[in-house]
Amino acid sequence: MIQLQSVTKSFKNIKAVDNLSLDIKEGETVVLLGTSGCGKTTTLRMVNRLTEASSGNIKVNGLDIKSHQPEELRRGIGYVLQHHGLFPHYTVAENIATVPTLLKWEKTKIKVRIGELLEKLKLPAAIADKFPAQLSGGQQQRIGLARALAADPPVLLMDEPFGALDTVTRSEVRKEFSSLDELKRKTILMVTHDVREAIELGDRICVMDKGKIVQSGSSKKLLFNPVNDFVSSFFQEDKLRFELETTSIKDVWKFLSDTTDSAEGVEIPIHENLWRTIELMAAAHPQPKITYISKYGPETKVIDLPSLMSAFSQSKNSFIDG
Amino acid sequence: MDEQQQTLWMFMSEQSGKLLEQTLSHIGLTFISLFLSVFIGLPTGIFISRNKKWSGAVLGFAGILQTIPSIALLGFMIPLLGIGPKPAIVALLLYALLPIIRNTYTGINEVDRAVTDAAKGMGMTSMQILFKVELPLAMPVILAGIRTATVINVGVATLAAYIAAGGLGEFIFGGIALNNTNMILAGAIPAALLAIIFDFILARIQNFNVRKTKFVLLAFPLILILLSSFYLLPSAIGSKMLAGFTPEFMGRSDGYLGLKNKYGLNIRTVVISDAVMYKAAYEKQLDVISGYSTDGRLKAFDLVVLDDDKVIFPPYYAAPVVNQDLLQKYPEVETTLNMLSGTINDSIMTDLNYKVDYLKQSPERVAKDFLIKNNLYKEARSGNKGVVRIGSKIFGEQYILLQMYSMLLKGFTDLSVEAKTGLGGTKICFDALTNNQIDLYPEYSGTGLLVILQTPASIVNQIIGDKDKVFTYVRNEFLKKYKIVWLKPIGFNNAYALMMRREQAAALKIETISQLKRFIDHN
């Protein structure tokens, strides 16, 4: 859906993006992760031609981006900015209607679409007539997303979409975003320096440094098989937690102790990650009698903390070995 | 205080027609120039916000324009655009330019980068970004600039009266020249009110919701054009011949008022500064002007004086007016100053003025040459006995007289002299004398009679035909009222006179004011 082929961007003599290639499949969410100045934002902005590449080709939906007028290209790509970038003199409704208006949609169609988006983002309908300054940070960021989604573009570019929010609001809005149906169908290229964000939202993470992609792959791959210290340094803090979060019960199933025939108890879904499972158990701790089980096909296994941890460490070794 | 207010009120209601006309043309001048200024300044501001490398040069240039003194800027305009509304509008336009360009530039620059970035990212064209995002968000700052420009323009537009462009300056400068406080206030109060009202209205518009931008963008030019059109109203009526009179002449009973009452002269008039009046007549922009009979430019621009056949212009014999205390302290001053008496007649004075005003010789040199020729020049003596402060109004003749008195006092007494030139008009000179800021200055008998003493018409009519009666009356009254002494008249009579171009007067066979009136009535 989005293809970057040997793309380079130089500012004077400095290469901000250096011969970078990246292929994003339809419906995939790719996160560019890196420290500031690594070229991740430049890479993103080249896709909608806010920055023009010095050399190389970029294709969106199979078409070279230079075959369009830049304005036409941008109207077909959703764009979410770090500081929401809402127009302060437009109401929420007018902000959301920006691209549909530019595309000359009918008024009624725009109105319906606004209502739909507000509902999906769990915002009250009355907010439509307010101005951005009257909203909370989280609401502003949601409207920023609604504006990007308004014309239902197949491709979405997100430049640190949660960067301006406080930690509490950030994880809240992020959760909402990740559960949003409409986003699941989109091809998304997102930029962030927040590892947690990358892990939660990215199907694939590209760690960038000095204009190049250092390593690209699933969060699990980066966590358990980093190519170098630079990549592993990103996950240094909260490493165990990230590992537990990216590992599901299913992943460690074969290492869990043997089947009990008549296991009964509270069932934990097989796809639940280990971190959440442990949290659940810890929360119920004063009542020691509770038994937890999981089912995988015909098998049912009892889950407890020692067996879970031992299975995790075994699976980790096997993952690294393999 | 009560009386003062009432007379002001009376003056204003008496002159209400003129006041309305002046106010309308003042508003018109302000807004025509403002409209043009916005028309030029707004695109320029947008241009330099897009092409930053130009911003320094453009803002610098507009800044320099604003530092030029307004009266000088008007002066620069005359050779290029003549007199009347054109140069006034251009000068006002140039003044208003800086705040408008600068605020447009700043306003657009201050729009949050994230917002313009978002607009671009959404797929707006650069025109759409300008009109939908940048201008609406910069509008409060731009309006603040327009507001500043408006207030500046209301103020500077008063000076338009100097170059025949009308406006409330006619009353203000007329009042200063005529020592008429009511007249000054009748011009100054409406001018101040205009500034306050426009400032208030623009402040309201500025606080409007930015969402009303579309309304502002549409309504604003319309309002400007509407207000601008005020200017065109008053000048729509009038005869073929155009007269240019000084603000002072317009308000005097021995000036325009007398022409109307005694001669029944009904000519289309504009108000103009005497600095440019003669040239304007020479360049055929004016047909009749109110000049002074000894003015050097009479000779330079080949003008003729029309005979005052019904005697409305009183004699204006020049003589030094001196503080009585000074004469008691230094009696030699009187005899020294009187040495000039009888040496200068009308034609000599015209010639001396011609040398200064037209040949651009320094008043000092002209004075010295004259004194040497008449054996009245001596090298300066010690000058340690005391100081005499001599004042003068701001025109060539007074500068020459000041220099002569100064040289005489230095050469024939041990006094030194402090020259205070450029004391504006009669009122300023006279106030300086009575407040002991100066000791003496050259004054004219007619001015003393009418402007300073404000002599009632009944007395004026009895003595106006006789120059000696006028002089005696004025001398006695001054001594009695102000303890100021009129020394002997110098000899020339610098009276008011109506003037025309020599060839035009000859072609139309006009020699007297009565003939001029008949010509106007029949054409």
Side-chain angles (χ1 to χ4, degrees), chain B residues 412-427:
Chain B
F412 291 88
T413 73
D414 287 321
L415 295 162
S416 68
V417 171
E418 196 181 310
K420 300 213 169 178
T421 54
L423 292 175
T426 300
K427 181 173 170 55

Side-chain angles (χ1 to χ4, degrees), chain B residues 172-457:
Chain B
I172 296 176
F173 296 114
I176 290 173
L178 293 167
N179 189 17
N180 184 336
T181 312
N182 284 333
M183 195 187 246
I184 299 175
L185 291 177
I189 291 173
L193 283 177
L194 283 184
I196 293 168
I197 291 168
F198 290 139
D199 191 51
F200 177 75
I201 294 174
L202 283 163
R204 293 299 295 267
I205 295 178
Q206 198 181 339
N207 291 334
F208 258 11
N209 200 324
V210 273
R211 295 178 49 69
K212 306 254 170 71
T213 305
K214 260 189 200 151
F215 164 79
V216 173
L217 281 177
L218 285 175
F220 206 66
L222 286 179
I223 294 169
L224 282 185
I225 291 171
L226 184 76
L227 289 169
S228 303
S229 65
F230 282 5
Y231 190 71
L232 304 172
L233 293 177
S235 58
I237 19 148
S239 66
K240 257 200 301 188
M241 274 196 148
L242 182 64
F245 296 148
T246 62
E248 179 165 2
F249 189 83
M250 286 300 286
R252 295 178 73 130
S253 57
D254 62 325
Y256 181 60
L257 302 178
L259 286 176
K260 271 211 304 212
N261 295 338
K262 274 207 179 165
Y263 284 97
L265 187 72
N266 194 13
I267 190 167
R268 192 155 61 94
T269 60
V270 291
V271 173
I272 189 167
S273 150
D274 61 350
V276 294
M277 183 171 66
Y278 296 90
K279 187 137 189 274
Y282 176 69
E283 286 169 352
K284 302 187 181 173
Q285 301 192 30
L286 297 172
D287 300 302
V288 179
I289 59 170
S290 64
Y292 300 97
S293 51
T294 58
D295 199 295
R297 287 165 295 191
L298 197 59
K299 184 171 164 185
F301 293 117
D302 201 23
L303 306 174
V304 285
V305 172
L306 299 185
D307 188 28
D308 176 21
D309 50 335
K310 287 187 181 171
V311 199
I312 60 158
F313 300 132
Y316 278 72
Y317 281 90
V321 287
V322 192
N323 216 318
Q324 202 179 21
D325 296 341
L326 184 86
L327 293 179
Q328 277 159 9
K329 202 166 156 195
Y330 308 122
E332 66 268 37
V333 169
E334 180 165 359
T335 48
T336 312
L337 296 185
N338 279 342
M339 285 163 71
L340 209 56
S341 174
T343 58
I344 306 176
N345 63 21
D346 287 8
S347 65
I348 294 175
M349 196 65 233
T350 306
D351 189 53
L352 295 176
N353 283 334
Y354 173 73
K355 282 177 181 158
V356 170
D357 291 335
Y358 200 70
L359 301 179
K360 305 294 172 202
Q361 296 179 2
S362 75
E364 197 178 346
R365 182 178 148 197
V366 173
K368 193 173 170 182
D369 288 348
F370 174 83
L371 291 181
I372 290 172
K373 209 168 129 193
N374 288 280
N375 290 322
L376 288 169
Y377 187 78
K378 273 193 191 173
E379 284 302 318
R381 278 157 56 174
S382 67
N384 52 16
K385 190 174 170 190
V387 181
V388 177
R389 296 161 303 169
I390 311 181
S392 87
K393 304 180 193 179
I394 38 171
F395 55 91
E397 182 170 295
Q398 291 255 330
Y399 291 156
I400 299 171
L401 294 176
L402 177 138
Q403 288 298 340
M404 288 182 181
Y405 288 141
S406 164
M407 287 168 191
L408 287 173
L409 286 172
K410 283 179 188 165
F412 291 88
T413 73
D414 287 321
L415 295 162
S416 68
V417 171
E418 196 181 310
K420 300 213 169 178
T421 54
L423 292 175
T426 300
K427 181 173 170 55
I428 298 170
C429 261
F430 184 71
D431 285 350
L433 185 62
T434 50
N435 290 312
N436 201 25
Q437 298 296 305
I438 55 173
D439 299 309
L440 68 102
Y441 75 94
E443 188 52 282
Y444 305 89
S445 53
T447 310
L449 180 74
L450 298 167
V451 179
I452 297 172
L453 293 172
Q454 313 251 347
T455 311

Side-chain angles (χ1 to χ4, degrees), chain B residues 44 162 260:
Chain B
T44 310
Y162 273 140
K260 271 211 304 212

